[in-house]
Amino acid sequence: MTSFGYFLACEEFTPAQLLDQARRAEQAGFTRLAISDHFHPWNDAQGNSPLVWSMIGALSQTVDLPVTTLVTCPTVRLHPAVTAQAAATSSVLLDGRFRFGVGTGEALNEHVHGDRWPPFADRAAMLEEAVEVMRRLFTGELVSHRGHHYTVENARLYTVPDEPPPVYVSGFGPNAAELAGRIGDGFVLMGPGQELVDTFRDAGGAGKPVVGGLKVCWDEDRDRAVDTVHRLWPNQLLPGELAQILPTPAHFEQACELVTREQVAQNTTCGDDPEAHVEAVRAYVDAGFDEVYIGQIGPDQEAFFENYRTKVLPALGGAAR
């Protein structure tokens, strides 16, 4: 049975706003939280980028819901040994309710040390090695590793959860879906792509969770909602690998000049028609997703949570409180 969570967008909201949304999500009947991990927002209009590990610590003291990173890149900006320590501590703070979503990352967040941004094949190999290193560290045993991409010397995590956090691997193409099936405990993708789900399951992911997310804009004025999405999140509609290779918010703003208001209206659920929201989420359910995370774009969080509590989640099988 599919469960429904709320997507906390670190790019758009302050730490205090994210914590408030987490409380509202729990009260509204969402059963999980996902949170993004960004060094930069996609554009200056979004305007935020709090450190995800600090936010997870605060969330552990605010709500009782499971928390999943969607997603962390453990390969460039942070060494996998340091990322493993952050993930292990998060799992301890959340009493085992932490799910560790990982991916190959974007130049936007990972280029900040001045490192070369590798092509996908190299990034995939780096991720595979990083996951191997982190799984070994999650055991609490002493680890030394000399691989093609990473060196770890005499490292041991003393604060580890009773069980290692599940590692969910993100993918947006067939090669990434195959990698997720081979090394992941679950699969993350942001669209209801049945083909990629099948690839993941055929590559070893049968029986493992499939996790997806989408952003919507609940607003009684649909035109205003479309304008809000067009201003804040046009990057969602950029094609191909642009999201992985553009290095700064300014570059995304330039590229997003190509995204029209009409494209936003056609591809993002906007307005206050409950059935439209139900239909958008149900597409993931029909594609076999186990967890779906919905994020509200813009300031009208109160109306979103109230209407999802009373109309949308009950129609999807949740219970109004």
Side-chain angles (χ1 to χ4, degrees):
M1 183 175 178
T2 305
S3 59
F4 304 103
Y6 186 73
F7 201 130
L8 298 166
C10 284
E11 305 88 345
E12 187 182 343
F13 299 102
T14 67
Q17 289 171 327
L18 293 168
L19 294 177
D20 180 63
Q21 289 170 20
R23 294 186 195 96
R24 289 175 182 267
E26 188 170 40
Q27 293 164 2
F30 288 97
T31 58
R32 300 174 175 276
L33 296 172
I35 187 165
S36 56
D37 179 4
H38 266 233
F39 191 90
H40 292 131
W42 298 102
N43 55 54
D44 284 350
Q46 292 173 358
N48 284 283
S49 60
L51 180 67
V52 71
W53 304 112
S54 298
M55 289 306 311
I56 290 173
L59 288 167
S60 74
Q61 305 303 301
T62 303
V63 293
D64 293 322
L65 300 179
V67 178
T68 302
T69 52
L70 293 185
V71 291
T72 288
C73 177
T75 59
V76 179
R77 177 169 34 116
L78 289 181
H79 190 281
V82 177
T83 310
Q85 185 183 29
T89 300
S90 296
S91 190
V92 170
L93 282 168
L94 286 161
D95 197 23
R97 301 189 309 276
F98 177 66
R99 303 293 181 265
F100 190 21
V102 300
T104 58
E106 305 95 10
L108 175 71
N109 302 303
E110 307 305 322
H111 82 284
V112 294
H113 294 304
D115 300 281
R116 165 184 171 268
W117 184 238
F120 171 77
D122 292 351
R123 301 199 317 267
M126 293 166 71
L127 180 63
E128 184 167 2
E129 186 175 332
V131 169
E132 175 192 347
V133 167
M134 293 188 296
R135 288 193 195 277
R136 290 176 61 191
L137 286 164
F138 290 150
T139 66
E141 298 176 358
L142 188 68
V143 173
S144 291
H145 171 87
R146 283 177 173 75
H148 185 71
H149 299 287
Y150 302 107
T151 298
V152 179
E153 187 166 339
N154 301 328
R156 179 184 173 190
L157 298 183
Y158 281 80
T159 299
V160 293
D162 293 336
E163 297 291 335
V167 179
Y168 294 173
V169 177
S170 174
F172 300 97
N175 291 333
E178 185 277 331
L179 177 67
R182 189 158 48 80
I183 71 169
D185 300 311
F187 182 36
V188 178
L189 67 164
M190 290 299 108
Q194 184 67 60
E195 266 188 50
L196 292 178
V197 172
D198 292 342
T199 299
F200 164 72
R201 289 183 171 142
D202 290 344
K208 299 177 183 178
V210 176
V211 178
L214 70 157
K215 289 184 172 61
V216 303
C217 188
W218 186 286
D219 192 311
E220 63 182 13
D221 184 329
R222 186 174 187 274
D223 287 337
R224 182 170 61 199
V226 171
D227 289 339
T228 297
V229 177
H230 190 235
R231 177 173 61 87
L232 291 173
W233 286 90
N235 55 282
Q236 294 187 115
L237 298 177
L238 290 176
E241 294 186 52
L242 282 176
Q244 280 72 55
I245 63 175
L246 295 179
T248 69
H251 287 96
F252 277 91
E253 289 164 5
Q254 293 166 11
C256 285
E257 291 178 8
L258 301 173
V259 178
T260 66
R261 189 181 180 281
E262 290 69 28
Q263 287 175 305
V264 168
Q266 291 170 7
N267 292 280
T268 308
T269 303
C270 294
D272 63 352
D273 177 4
E275 186 51 41
H277 288 257
V278 170
E279 183 179 341
V281 178
R282 190 169 282 147
Y284 290 79
V285 178
D286 292 345
F289 282 63
D290 299 281
E291 302 169 19
V292 184
Y293 295 88
I294 305 104
Q296 162 73 354
I297 295 172
D300 200 356
Q301 299 290 321
E302 185 172 351
F304 168 87
F305 284 118
E306 177 60 18
N307 283 283
Y308 266 67
R309 180 184 73 84
T310 58
K311 299 173 183 176
V312 178
L313 291 180
L316 290 164
R321 298 181 179 181

